[in-house]
Amino acid sequence: MTEEESRRRQRARFEGLAHVVVEPLHRYLLRRTGADMVDDILAEAMLVLWRRIDDVPGLGPAPGSPPDPDDVLPWCYGVARGCLANARRADGRRLRLVERLIRTQEQQPAGTADHGDLHAALAALGALDREVVRLWAWEELAPRQIAEATGLTSNAVSIRLHRAKKKLAQQLGRKHDEPSGHKRDEGRSGQ
């Protein structure tokens, strides 16, 4: 049997299984979770069934007549149940993260600096310039590393970074007496 025939055979087996189990699994999930989550969990369950097609009890090795629902559904319900549990855990983690973020914002000291002007100035930059500045300032990457992360050349990153810092300085109302990065006499001999 060629690889292509094997794939066709596996696909036919999965389609036969899907034809039998999709509706019962959909109803099963609808009774256990909100309608907004059912399709995602069902898709995840079908993905697991695709990956584990050879493990489905009651599903014959050869495609042919559709499998008997009594043979395949109990195992498929177990898969859907596991996917539902995973989704609930993920949802719980998301909710805990949101609660933690809200608590963190509420607990900020009164003397915390307001960075609204900076965020507004960053928002005025183009998306790529904003990303270059963030990688430089927040992630502390060198232009060579930023180039690797963005797909730009190191030279292009240096130019973008210089121009973006200049725009930010203008928008924040600061005057630059010296170019950013180096002092005027840095690297020169005392001659």
Side-chain angles (χ1 to χ4, degrees):
M1 180 183 322
T2 67
E3 188 177 324
E4 187 176 322
E5 288 172 346
S6 176
R7 281 193 301 246
R8 264 188 287 186
R9 193 173 181 172
Q10 184 177 7
R11 182 177 177 176
R13 287 178 67 211
F14 177 76
E15 288 173 352
L17 176 66
H19 182 72
V20 169
V21 301
V22 165
E23 285 304 315
L25 291 180
H26 190 265
R27 287 191 306 267
Y28 171 86
L29 292 168
L30 269 175
R31 288 189 289 269
R32 285 161 178 78
T33 190
D36 59 329
M37 293 180 64
V38 169
D39 290 336
D40 290 339
I41 298 169
L42 181 60
E44 184 65 29
M46 296 309 292
L47 180 62
V48 170
L49 292 176
W50 168 257
R51 289 180 181 153
R52 299 193 56 200
I53 192 76
D54 293 332
D55 298 335
V56 179
L59 188 62
S65 61
D68 183 1
D70 291 337
D71 293 338
V72 295
L73 269 174
W75 195 83
C76 294
Y77 283 138
V79 169
R81 185 173 176 267
C83 291
L84 178 60
N86 288 342
R88 285 181 175 158
R89 278 192 298 275
D91 201 38
R93 284 191 301 270
R94 257 190 310 276
L95 289 174
R96 286 190 301 276
L97 176 61
V98 167
E99 289 171 359
R100 192 171 45 206
L101 289 171
I102 290 171
R103 280 193 312 269
T104 301
Q105 278 187 325
E106 290 171 351
Q107 295 173 355
Q108 286 184 349
T112 303
D114 177 23
H115 298 294
D117 291 342
L118 176 60
H119 290 288
L122 275 171
L125 295 176
L128 188 54
D129 288 344
R130 188 170 44 248
E131 181 64 11
V132 166
V133 169
R134 287 177 176 164
L135 288 170
W136 173 76
W138 294 346
E139 309 308 326
E140 298 180 359
L141 297 182
R144 175 185 52 78
Q145 296 167 315
I146 297 170
E148 189 175 327
T150 59
L152 298 169
T153 65
S154 294
N155 190 41
V157 167
S158 295
I159 292 169
R160 282 183 174 276
L161 186 58
H162 174 76
R163 290 178 181 165
K165 288 192 307 186
K166 196 172 182 179
K167 286 179 190 175
L168 286 173
Q170 288 172 350
Q171 289 183 356
L172 294 172
R174 297 182 183 155
K175 295 180 182 175
H176 272 37
D177 295 332
E178 295 183 13
S180 57
H182 298 286
K183 296 179 182 173
R184 291 187 190 270
D185 60 348
E186 185 176 317
R188 295 186 183 165
S189 64
Q191 298 175 358

